[in-house]
Amino acid sequence: MHGEDIRRPLGLSRDCPVQHVAAALRYQLGAGVALGGGKERARGLRLMASDTAVDVGEGPEVRGTALALLLAVSGRPVGPDELTGPGVPALTRDGGLHHG
């Protein structure tokens, strides 16, 4: 995530192995916000990755790449077209995230 914090504002990208991103997403979903995780941000939502077998939670759906989901649950901003679904407003309103 820290690499994305640097790359994204500079308009740079890097391919990360999706299995590593998925593992980081699952870790973030298990850790509370106080510890740098995103458990509370994702509570009541169903997160579905479009590029790997991550489908967790229950509630309004949020779809996107594992990386976009990881950034959002971690409190990082995501681009306006990176996440879709009825749960997006609930996920992106916390932590000052922008979407759209």
Side-chain angles (χ1 to χ4, degrees), residues 1 8 21-22 24-26 28-29 38 41-42 45-52 54-56 61-76 78 82-84 88 91 97:
M1 285 185 309
R8 283 177 170 243
V21 178
L25 174 58
R26 287 186 180 99
Q28 287 298 91
L29 292 171
R41 284 186 193 96
L45 299 172
R46 180 179 180 190
L47 305 180
M48 303 173 71
S50 59
D51 56 350
T52 190
V54 172
D55 183 344
V56 295
E61 293 179 4
V62 179
R63 293 178 183 263
T65 64
L67 181 58
L69 293 170
L70 173 61
L71 291 169
V73 301
S74 300
R76 273 38 177 222
V78 295
E82 290 188 83
L83 299 175
T84 61
V88 170
L91 180 60
L97 297 177

